[in-house]
Amino acid sequence: MTTRTTRRRGAVRWAAGALAAAVALALPAVLDDSALAVYVLLGLAAMVTVGVSLLMGYAGQVSLGQGAFYGVGAYTAALLALNGLPPLLGLVAAPVAAALAALVLGLPLLRLRGHHLAFATLATQLILLSLAGQLTFTGGDIGLQAIPQFSAGSFEASGAAAYAYLTWAGLALVMLVTHNVITSRPGRALRALATSETAAASSGIPVGRYKLVVFALSAAFAGLAGGIYCFYTGYVAPGSFPVLISIQYIVMAVVGGLGTIWGAVAGAAAITLLVQGLDQLANLPGMPSYAPSVLSYAVYALVLIVVVLFLPDGLVPAIGRRLSRERPPATR
């Protein structure tokens, strides 16, 4: 690949990123409240999915428990705010608490590999949800209500548009941190780790340490999203973080493209909009009460099958290859 081609591709990426940022900032001003709710949830899902893509696509670690760290962040921010501490402090503490939980849980869990690790993380989420439903300070099955609005100094997020900007600012931070990680020396070590842990260890890479750190970092992203979620909804309960939500993040990462930042965002957008459409379909008159769950699981399965068969690398890598083939060769 020539230097000119590399520069051209870099310029195209920056232009696409600038265009996406401009659209993201402009949309809250034109969307109504119902569309803004979807927009906020889309941004929160993208935040968690970027962490999943980093964890699975670069480190090769499978986790079905990201919803647990999403919940840890939400409960942390909610409890601090309800006890009179500034909401900003709660939002800062949310990713820290999620990362610490991941460090504690990761010490035993990351000794496992493959589907054993996936099932262990899934079991972790089930245990944490059960505890949240039983403990008094978390509100039990009823949860925590009347969570104050997010505020920082003179700023107060009093509407959906404010939370949309807050969410996408958080997503931009997550994407920036992820970009810096994957383009650094630790990022190269993570790619080596995903290829072969044995080969990475023989090259002097501290495999266990890197696995634990990236596990905690992806959990911190989920915790940050959970902190914003609790202030936006003003309510958190065990039912807010079902097991299906962790599966949803995996589907988003696979559909968009594992190991890509923009793929995580594209996958989150595609699946979120698809889920919203299915919810509207399931709630039509005459549909049975179990229709939302059935449609969700069926569509996740169908989407995964289609992507694995026809777009094994995900949407964004496939589109990138298609554009590269269609671009005419550079003239000398």
Side-chain angles (χ1 to χ4, degrees), residues 246-264:
S246 293
I247 299 174
Q248 182 174 303
Y249 296 141
I250 300 294
V251 175
M252 289 175 177
V254 172
V255 168
L258 281 174
T260 63
I261 299 176
W262 285 105

Side-chain angles (χ1 to χ4, degrees), residues 129-275:
L129 288 176
S130 178
L131 289 175
Q134 298 294 326
L135 296 175
T136 303
F137 72 92
T138 60
D141 290 329
I142 298 175
L144 302 174
Q145 304 179 32
I147 300 171
Q149 296 284 344
F150 176 78
S151 61
S154 60
F155 169 77
E156 182 176 352
S158 56
Y163 280 103
Y165 287 121
L166 178 63
T167 298
W168 287 82
L171 176 59
L173 175 63
V174 165
M175 294 174 69
L176 178 62
V177 171
T178 304
H179 173 76
N180 289 336
V181 168
I182 63 179
T183 55
S184 65
R185 183 176 179 180
R188 294 190 293 272
L190 288 177
R191 286 191 287 273
L193 188 154
T195 302
S196 172
E197 291 188 13
T198 303
S202 64
S203 300
I205 296 173
V207 172
R209 187 187 309 167
Y210 272 74
K211 288 167 63 175
L212 190 59
V213 169
V214 74
F215 189 60
L217 182 60
S218 67
F221 294 163
L224 178 60
I228 297 174
Y229 172 82
C230 86
F231 290 119
Y232 174 60
T233 60
Y235 167 79
V236 291
S240 304
F241 315 102
V243 173
L244 182 60
I245 198 171
S246 293
I247 299 174
Q248 182 174 303
Y249 296 141
I250 300 294
V251 175
M252 289 175 177
V254 172
V255 168
L258 281 174
T260 63
I261 299 176
W262 285 105
V265 179
I271 298 300
T272 299
L273 295 177
L274 179 61
V275 168

Side-chain angles (χ1 to χ4, degrees), residues 61-132:
Q61 307 302 309
V62 182
S63 173
L64 292 177
Q66 293 303 103
F69 303 118
Y70 188 54
V72 168
Y75 271 102
T76 299
L79 286 169
L80 292 178
L82 287 172
N83 283 279
L85 294 175
L88 179 59
L89 179 60
L91 185 59
V92 172
V96 175
L100 290 176
L103 288 174
V104 173
L105 294 171
L107 287 173
L109 293 185
L110 292 178
R111 297 177 182 273
L112 304 173
R113 297 182 182 180
H115 65 277
H116 295 97
L117 176 60
F119 287 136
T121 54
L122 178 62
T124 299
Q125 180 172 351
L126 293 173
I127 293 171
L128 291 178
L129 288 176
S130 178
L131 289 175

